[in-house]
Amino acid sequence: MKKILKFLYTMLALVVVTGCTKEIELYDGEEGIYFNVQYGPEWGNERVWANQQLSNVEFINIAGNTDTLQLKVMTTGRTKDYDRHFQVEIVMDSTTAIEGENYERLSSRYTVKAGDYFTYIPVVLNRTENIQDEAKSMLIRLIPSEDFKIGIPVWKKLPNQWDGVIKGDFPADCHKVVITDFVSKPIRWIGLANDGLEAGLWGDFTQKKYRLICEQFGLVYSDFMSTTAMPDAKRTVIREHMARLLQDLYNKKTPILEEDGRLMWFMGVTWTSRVGVPWKGF
């Protein structure tokens, strides 16, 4: 029995020493930075999610008009007992997004706090009309500093890691953000236009009408895609609220018009609306 216990203690000591050695090796080498952005299905985690070179921000699935994307930046080399800093730049010849419109100006400096081995770059993005029909993108690149070099030049797929949005190797010092707000008629939209004349609870689908419903009820696109999220009773409540809202604005002589100039319509308002026929006014 004593021999067995001695053997087990010896093996445990070897495991501890080996583990410590591996941990130390992770912090050896030059101090560097690299993007370590990971995401994937909810049933995964950072141990299996792929490192991503691209983040798609779809405002169609976001409530509100702004969103903050947090881009994780990791360090190589040993941690330090003092703050360290680095900068980033927008690669303009690979960027179509507009500063101050699609995204807010990035900070002039980012900090890895003392004792930490990672930080985040918050990127504030805006819902704008110019992403409703065309995607806008921005390419962000890390800049070496006195504190950091580029820690990993190229990301390669790691063992047991799932596939990323884009397969293959990619530079670890750059990350691309693509912003869209594309809308098509959702499954649970209830309404149509008969020979151009709007009918049904909600009438003909338009982006403007859809976005007004989302604004009034705090909804996103997925809320219109199933009977669970959008039961018939909820569709009726939306119809009643929107008809009252439009009627009140009409009575105040500040009606809401569709892009073709016709009055926005829901069942219950006092007017009819035909697609392509502008309202003639009071």
Side-chain angles (χ1 to χ4, degrees):
M1 185 66 179
K2 289 182 179 179
K3 289 183 178 180
I4 295 174
L5 289 174
K6 185 177 181 181
F7 173 76
L8 291 175
Y9 288 142
T10 302
M11 293 302 295
L12 179 60
L14 286 173
V15 169
V16 172
V17 171
T18 302
C20 290
T21 301
K22 288 183 177 180
E23 186 177 355
I24 290 171
E25 287 176 354
L26 288 174
Y27 292 94
D28 281 343
E30 293 183 328
E31 286 76 38
I33 47 175
Y34 61 95
F35 278 111
N36 187 33
V37 180
Q38 292 177 276
Y39 55 83
E42 293 181 357
W43 58 87
N45 53 52
E46 292 184 350
R47 288 179 294 181
V48 292
W49 286 339
N51 294 97
Q52 305 283 3
Q53 69 178 115
L54 172 69
S55 291
N56 281 308
V57 178
E58 300 174 325
F59 271 98
I60 191 68
N61 293 316
I62 297 171
N65 293 321
T66 62
D67 186 56
T68 301
L69 183 65
Q70 299 284 357
L71 302 180
K72 190 175 185 179
V73 175
M74 297 278 289
T75 67
T76 58
R78 296 177 180 272
T79 58
K80 300 294 184 181
D81 59 1
Y82 55 86
D83 292 352
R84 292 175 291 171
H85 311 284
F86 65 92
Q87 294 178 309
V88 301
E89 65 178 353
I90 303 296
V91 183
M92 297 310 298
D93 60 3
S94 299
T95 295
T96 58
I98 302 170
E99 182 183 289
E101 184 174 351
N102 300 117
Y103 68 94
E104 298 303 317
R105 179 186 293 272
L106 299 182
S107 174
S108 59
R109 188 172 73 165
Y110 297 92
T111 301
V112 178
K113 293 290 188 180
D116 283 349
Y117 57 92
F118 68 91
T119 191
Y120 290 92
I121 297 174
V123 182
V124 179
L125 305 169
N126 301 317
R127 185 196 300 273
T128 55
E129 289 187 4
N130 67 355
I131 58 172
Q132 293 178 7
D133 300 309
E134 179 184 4
K136 296 292 183 181
S137 64
M138 56 190 299
L139 186 64
I140 303 172
R141 182 161 56 201
L142 301 172
I143 301 176
S145 67
E146 293 182 359
D147 293 317
F148 295 111
K149 296 183 178 180
I150 299 302
I152 298 177
V154 176
W155 259 119
K156 296 179 180 293
K157 184 180 178 182
L158 301 177
N160 302 319
Q161 195 179 67
W162 296 345
D163 287 329
V165 174
I166 300 176
K167 297 180 180 180
D169 303 341
F170 58 91
D173 65 334
C174 290
H175 192 79
K176 186 175 185 179
V177 179
V178 176
I179 321 162
T180 61
D181 194 20
F182 301 152
V183 183
S184 58
K185 183 178 179 179
I187 294 172
R188 293 293 288 167
W189 187 272
I190 181 168
L192 70 165
N194 286 322
D195 294 327
L197 186 66
E198 295 201 70
L201 290 185
W202 296 356
D204 193 43
F205 171 80
T206 67
Q207 286 199 32
K208 188 171 184 177
K209 187 185 293 185
Y210 160 81
R211 295 181 193 282
L212 185 58
I213 293 175
C214 290
E215 178 185 307
Q216 291 292 307
F217 287 88
L219 302 177
V220 295
Y221 194 73
S222 59
D223 293 322
F224 295 80
M225 296 302 286
S226 70
T227 54
T228 301
M230 183 64 69
D232 290 342
K234 190 172 183 178
R235 296 197 295 187
T236 299
V237 169
I238 289 173
R239 194 280 304 171
E240 292 171 349
H241 173 86
M242 296 303 295
R244 284 197 303 270
L245 174 67
L246 295 179
Q247 189 68 56
D248 287 345
L249 292 173
Y250 180 86
N251 293 342
K252 294 175 182 176
K253 299 189 182 301
T254 57
I256 296 179
L257 305 182
E258 297 282 9
E259 297 300 328
D260 62 2
R262 74 183 190 274
L263 288 167
M264 185 176 288
W265 186 93
F266 279 80
M267 179 185 286
V269 297
T270 57
W271 58 86
T272 59
S273 180
R274 187 175 294 276
V275 176
V277 180
W279 176 57
K280 294 181 180 179
F282 294 106

